Amino acid sequence: MSKIDNDVLLIIFDELKNDNGTLFTCALVNRQWCKMAIPILWKDPIKNQQFNEQLLDIIKYSLPYESKKLLLSHGIDITSNLQLRKKPLFDYIKYCKYLRFNKINEYANLMTKSIKETDYFLIKREIFKFYISKCSSIKFLDLNFTERYYQLSHDDLMKYQLLKFPGAINCFSELMELHCDSNIDSSIFYGFAEICKFIQKIYIYQLYDNPGLIELIKVQKNLKKFKYTASKFIKYKINEFTGIGKALEKNSETLLHFKALDDLYGNCFIPGVFSKFKNLEKLILFRLCYCFQQYEFEEQLSFTSFPKLKVIHIQDASIYTVKKIIEKTDGNLIKIAIYDIEYKKDYDNKPFQDLIQSIYKNCPNLKFLRLEIKDEILEDFEKLLITCNQLEGLVIESCRWKMYNNYNIKNLLLLLAKSSPINLFKFKFYYYWDFDQISLNLFFENWRGRKPLKFYMVGTDKFLSIFENYKNEGIIERYEDIEDIYFKCFEW
């Protein structure tokens, strides 16, 4: 067997980084392949939910003698049930690039039968000290906790003083992604702000204006993605995240993705902050109806231009706001997902028509669309299908004001079979469409000769024989019964 250059192997194995099974098989081929595959396999050995007993044994075996001696002096023998009897072939821990506080927390609790909190703390401290001394450049850090360990873990973070362990600067200075909870003591964030200047992704849970977190965001030089959920601990206060908003303004040139998720507690960013994000490519805003300043917030959004925007997911916004955002995107939108659009029950069809017109007049490159459809606007919807000829996937909702009077799907299916662009073959139908055998058969017959369908709807079990028949004939590639999953609406 001829030898493959290491650089080539590295490129190949990096493509397989999410396929541990194949990578493990490659590691068994020969010594060269093993040396190249192991560092990739061990970048994130605890990313999966299932318990990794091998990792637990390696941590126990590899802990420095000083740590084991310290633990023994407190009556903690972590090697008593050690399965690993020989020295590992590799210094595996040094390859880790992902550090997940909650996972380490769980593994530490499995190392002893003691019920003393002080014992858990000592074990966790020694594991973190070990990781920080071994890992030269952690890329991903997750400081979130499960509810079970929530308060204890927050207290532990203060006690550990991770950034004071030997090697901390070397370990965290190249951090690229941070997941955290803003209820962590601000001194910890201030510490990371001194070391970490090039974080590209920050995901925050339980967001509020933590001064240390504000400083950490402010000092970043290449922040590209920011995602947050609101804090349930301030649900009785009006919190505009003024400090966080101002810190993000400092990153307005580099910020490409902004996601505000599950804001059930009436919090929002100061309305003016979005006018600074001229380079945004992805904007996701959920539950605007819970925002204390929804009117001011939507008004600012309607005035703001996002010329580079490619993806928008928005929930509970008015038709007018959504329309205005779309009109100021310079034709770059490729994904639009509109959820629970706000309108009055007695609205006429004009707002819907205006929205559809804004899409087909301003989105020539559109590939995926989620939209609420009424029978009365199918003529305008047909213009959208004809004009947006790059469409690949449609997620179609029935009008929710008639959710208790199911829509007949016949006219929509006839239109889709007649006017869908050649690239369009992925469909999802949400909520209260009234499918029937005749309409489905007619649609699938009219689809003959086109790219096989991916057809998802609620209630496929009622029409299994139809779906199986057309799947066997090659007209359907895949069908599935679905539930509404917001973040996966464009996954087929």
Side-chain angles (χ1 to χ4, degrees), residues 67-329:
S67 294
K68 293 175 183 175
K69 184 178 179 181
L70 173 67
L71 294 174
L72 273 175
S73 70
H74 287 81
I76 307 169
D77 184 6
I78 62 171
T79 62
S80 60
N81 58 349
L82 184 65
Q83 301 298 314
L84 190 63
R85 298 303 176 189
K86 295 193 301 183
K87 182 180 179 180
L89 294 175
F90 293 89
D91 191 0
Y92 293 105
I93 300 301
K94 76 175 184 180
Y95 299 124
C96 293
K97 302 298 181 185
Y98 290 69
L99 187 55
R100 304 174 190 273
F101 190 94
N102 189 50
K103 287 294 183 181
I104 297 297
N105 201 19
E106 293 176 7
Y107 275 69
N109 291 336
L110 293 170
M111 287 190 178
T112 177
K113 295 179 180 179
S114 172
I115 60 172
K116 296 179 181 178
E117 291 298 335
T118 52
D119 289 353
Y120 290 141
F121 169 76
L122 282 173
I123 295 172
K124 286 181 280 188
R125 187 186 66 181
E126 294 308 306
I127 292 176
F128 276 110
K129 188 189 299 183
F130 172 54
Y131 263 81
I132 289 172
S133 66
K134 280 288 183 183
C135 303
S136 59
S137 56
I138 291 290
K139 303 297 184 185
F140 174 101
L141 178 63
D142 188 345
L143 295 176
N144 288 306
F145 321 107
T146 61
E147 290 293 330
R148 178 183 174 188
Y149 303 114
Y150 191 80
Q151 189 56 52
L152 287 173
S153 298
H154 277 90
D155 294 342
D156 282 353
L157 268 178
M158 278 298 295
K159 295 176 186 175
Y160 292 142
Q161 296 294 305
L162 299 181
L163 299 179
K164 293 184 179 180
F165 288 153
I169 294 177
N170 193 36
C171 179
F172 294 115
S173 61
E174 296 182 24
L175 188 66
M176 297 179 68
E177 183 168 344
L178 174 66
H179 293 218
C180 62
D181 186 315
S182 61
N183 290 290
I184 294 170
D185 189 273
S186 62
S187 65
I188 295 171
F189 289 122
Y190 278 120
F192 278 107
E194 293 180 8
I195 296 174
C196 311
K197 309 290 185 181
F198 295 94
I199 301 176
Q200 295 184 14
K201 304 175 185 178
I202 296 179
Y203 296 166
I204 304 173
Y205 305 85
Q206 313 295 347
L207 181 67
Y208 77 97
D209 265 358
N210 181 315
L213 180 57
I214 292 169
E215 180 64 19
L216 177 61
I217 295 171
K218 190 184 298 182
V219 301
Q220 297 312 306
K221 300 181 184 301
N222 194 29
L223 183 61
K224 294 181 179 180
K225 299 181 180 182
F226 182 82
K227 178 172 79 173
Y228 82 94
T229 58
S231 176
K232 63 183 179 183
F233 299 106
I234 55 170
K235 63 182 179 180
Y236 300 113
K237 302 177 183 178
I238 297 178
N239 186 300
E240 298 176 345
F241 307 138
T242 305
I244 299 289
K246 293 295 184 183
L248 285 172
E249 285 185 28
K250 297 283 186 180
N251 295 273
S252 61
E253 291 299 316
T254 61
L255 195 64
L256 302 179
H257 294 186
F258 183 93
K259 302 181 183 181
L261 307 177
D262 296 327
D263 193 346
L264 291 169
Y265 306 105
N267 308 291
C268 70
F269 277 89
I270 50 175
V273 71
F274 285 91
S275 63
K276 312 293 183 182
F277 301 156
K278 297 295 184 181
N279 292 321
L280 274 189
E281 294 180 0
K282 178 183 283 189
L283 178 62
I284 298 180
L285 299 171
F286 277 110
R287 301 188 185 278
L288 291 186
C289 64
Y290 290 97
C291 178
F292 285 123
Q293 295 180 306
Q294 181 176 4
Y295 176 79
E296 294 85 351
F297 190 50
E298 288 203 40
E299 184 177 41
Q300 183 63 53
L301 285 173
S302 67
F303 291 145
T304 301
S305 174
F306 299 107
K308 298 182 181 180
L309 198 65
K310 295 179 180 179
V311 178
I312 182 169
H313 291 239
I314 191 165
Q315 182 187 27
D316 297 324
S318 69
I319 289 180
Y320 177 82
T321 299
V322 177
K323 183 172 78 74
K324 286 298 182 182
I325 292 174
I326 290 170
E327 289 173 351
K328 297 187 177 103
T329 55

Side-chain angles (χ1 to χ4, degrees), residues 332-343:
N332 291 309
L333 278 170
I334 58 175
K335 293 182 180 180
I336 300 174
I338 305 168
Y339 311 84
D340 304 327
I341 198 163
E342 290 292 307
Y343 58 90

Side-chain angles (χ1 to χ4, degrees), residues 326 333-334 336 355-369 371 380-394 419-424:
I326 290 170
L333 278 170
I334 58 175
I336 300 174
L355 176 60
I356 289 177
Q357 288 175 20
S358 72
I359 295 172
Y360 70 69
K361 288 180 179 179
N362 295 281
C363 307
N365 299 307
L366 189 64
K367 292 186 177 182
F368 298 94
L369 173 64
L371 189 66
D380 295 277
F381 184 60
E382 183 174 24
K383 293 178 183 177
L384 186 152
L385 293 174
I386 294 170
T387 305
C388 299
N389 55 22
Q390 301 300 313
L391 272 173
E392 297 177 16
L394 271 178
S419 301
S420 289
I422 193 169
N423 294 316
L424 180 57

Side-chain angles (χ1 to χ4, degrees), residues 418-445:
K418 170 190 171 187
S419 301
S420 289
I422 193 169
N423 294 316
L424 180 57
F425 70 101
K426 301 174 182 178
F427 295 97
K428 288 184 180 180
F429 298 88
Y430 280 125
Y431 303 135
Y432 299 92
W433 294 107
D434 190 11
F435 284 91
D436 62 85
Q437 292 186 8
I438 295 174
S439 297
L440 280 172
N441 275 314
L442 183 58
F443 174 72
F444 293 137
E445 285 297 327

